[in-house]
Amino acid sequence: MASRPLKAVLTVAAAAAFSLTTVPAQAADPDLSVWTEVSRTYGVTGAYAYEPYAVADGFTPTACAPGVGYRYVNEQNVGRTDPEKPAALLYEDGPDGRRLIAVEWIARAESGATAPAMFGQNFQQPVDLPDLGSSYTLRAWIYRTNPSGLFSPTHPDVTCSATADPDPDPTSDLDLDLDLDLDM
């Protein structure tokens, strides 16, 4: 193969590989143009895969809801329909602590308010959320593939442990009583 065509093939292959890394692992059920906006969400929330970062940034954990997981709410983002400002992060218990599985936008369902829309999706019908009252929600399962679809209101495989602590202290398992003998 000549040098120029070989470079072109390698360039296209590299570009394809890089473009795939920006799309979260999820069945392509929505229109492909939606992934451009959703990838912005994926990019700004990726650091929250480490749950203590979410808490440090103002996301407050709540109790687990079957099919949804643990909702960590940032009150400042409630009511926003900005792909880069989800109101909640959804986690589930994993072998190494909480694992980020989805993001959620929340808008209060005030009298006469219609459901907002994002990503070509209308928010789900109002549900009663703790501390928020009646609210419209839109979930995007961008960190755990949902067989029911990217924007499904629930995930069939997300369960709640009967012994789970809704607000774990990540430092509670650390033994910080170190007895160091520095005299040598």
Side-chain angles (χ1 to χ4, degrees):
M1 192 178 249
S3 175
R4 182 171 235 157
L6 178 59
K7 286 181 183 177
V9 167
L10 292 175
T11 301
V12 169
F18 284 122
S19 69
L20 291 176
T21 61
T22 63
V23 177
Q26 177 76 41
D29 50 333
D31 184 76
L32 290 177
S33 64
V34 169
W35 285 111
T36 303
E37 288 186 73
V38 172
S39 69
R40 291 175 36 211
T41 304
Y42 191 75
V44 299
T45 59
Y48 299 130
Y50 182 63
E51 182 261 349
Y53 287 161
V55 174
D57 277 355
F59 287 88
T60 305
T62 64
C64 187
V68 176
Y70 295 92
R71 181 182 283 116
Y72 285 52
V73 178
N74 184 328
E75 292 267 351
Q76 294 179 348
N77 293 346
V78 171
R80 293 187 180 200
T81 54
D82 181 346
E84 296 182 10
K85 302 277 186 196
L89 305 169
L90 304 178
Y91 290 85
E92 70 179 345
D93 287 323
D96 299 316
R98 298 263 165 94
R99 175 176 99 118
L100 182 61
I101 56 174
V103 295
E104 178 179 49
W105 291 267
I106 301 169
R108 288 188 175 90
E110 299 160 315
S111 178
T114 59
M118 285 181 66
F119 308 118
Q121 305 287 317
N122 288 327
F123 280 44
Q124 285 90 29
Q125 292 302 308
V127 293
D128 196 28
L129 299 178
D131 300 326
L132 295 173
S134 182
S135 300
Y136 296 109
T137 62
L138 179 65
R139 295 183 190 107
W141 301 93
I142 61 176
Y143 293 99
R144 181 170 184 196
T145 302
N146 187 339
S148 301
L150 176 65
F151 296 109
S152 177
T154 59
H155 193 299
D157 300 326
V158 174
T159 60
C160 298
S161 168
T163 61
D165 178 5
D167 186 13
D169 179 4
T171 61
S172 65
D173 295 332
L174 299 176
D175 183 8
L176 298 177
D177 185 21
L178 301 175
D179 185 17
L180 299 176
D181 184 9
L182 300 177
D183 295 327
M184 295 191 190

